[in-house]
């Protein structure tokens, strides 16, 4: 279960340039047994790649391919912010940041969107 709380602000100048700001906080509240598959740790061949029993290590994804444990293994909370800029009706730039407080992890993402259908159809200004 994920709880989110946040806000969203949009500003548009006569339909030509628009931007939006987003900010929020999240709380991931899992229950039951959990299995975490690491995208960071790559193990070699052999039996060491399987889960070695239940763990409480929240940073287990850095040292094991598979980590299993209770709900506390994947519980998380943090905050996020984003900026979206649309300089033209067919072009969109986005930058997002999120911070996991208990894991001390920063995530950054950047995206470019092009609306191809608006390039082939005439656009009324």
């Amino acid at each position: 279960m994920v709880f989110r709380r946040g806000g969203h602000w949009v500003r548009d100048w006569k339909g030509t340039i628009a931007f939006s700001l987003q900010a929020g906080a999240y709380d991931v509240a899992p229950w039951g047994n959990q299995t975490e598959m690491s995208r960071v740790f790559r193990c070699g061949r052999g039996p060491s790649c399987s889960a070695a029993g239940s763990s409480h290590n929240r940073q287990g994804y850095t040292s094991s391919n598979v980590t299993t444990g209770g709900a506390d293994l994947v519980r998380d909370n943090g905050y996020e912010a984003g900026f979206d800029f649309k300089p033209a009706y067919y072009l969109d730039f986005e930058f997002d940041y999120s911070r996991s407080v208990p894991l001390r992890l920063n995530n950054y993402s950047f995206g470019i969107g092009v609306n191809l259908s608006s390039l082939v159809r005439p656009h009324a200004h």
Side-chain angles (χ1 to χ4, degrees):
M1 186 176 303
V2 178
F3 303 101
R4 290 194 184 271
R5 193 59 135 175
H8 187 126
W9 301 272
V10 178
R11 176 70 174 131
D12 191 355
W13 281 282
K14 298 180 184 176
T16 56
I17 298 175
F19 73 91
S20 66
L21 299 172
Q22 306 146 73
Y26 68 91
D27 184 28
V28 178
W31 64 87
N33 293 328
Q34 304 291 320
T35 300
E36 184 178 66
M37 311 287 265
S38 177
R39 290 184 166 185
V40 177
F41 182 78
R42 301 285 185 236
C43 64
R45 295 184 182 143
S48 64
C49 291
S50 61
S54 185
S55 174
H56 297 286
N57 182 7
R58 302 270 320 248
Q59 300 281 338
Y61 65 90
T62 62
S63 61
S64 176
N65 199 30
V66 178
T67 305
T68 59
D72 285 341
L73 181 66
V74 295
R75 188 176 315 269
D76 191 19
N77 62 58
Y79 51 90
E80 53 200 9
F83 177 74
D84 190 12
F85 176 62
K86 193 172 183 101
Y89 64 93
Y90 59 88
L91 192 59
D92 188 29
F93 297 106
E94 181 178 347
F95 177 76
D96 294 302
Y97 168 77
S98 68
R99 168 79 176 171
S100 169
V101 175
L103 295 176
R104 296 185 304 271
L105 290 175
N106 295 314
N107 292 306
Y108 302 94
S109 65
F110 180 79
I112 299 174
V114 178
N115 185 348
L116 297 175
S117 66
S118 67
L119 292 175
V120 295
R121 276 190 264 142
H123 179 71
H125 293 283

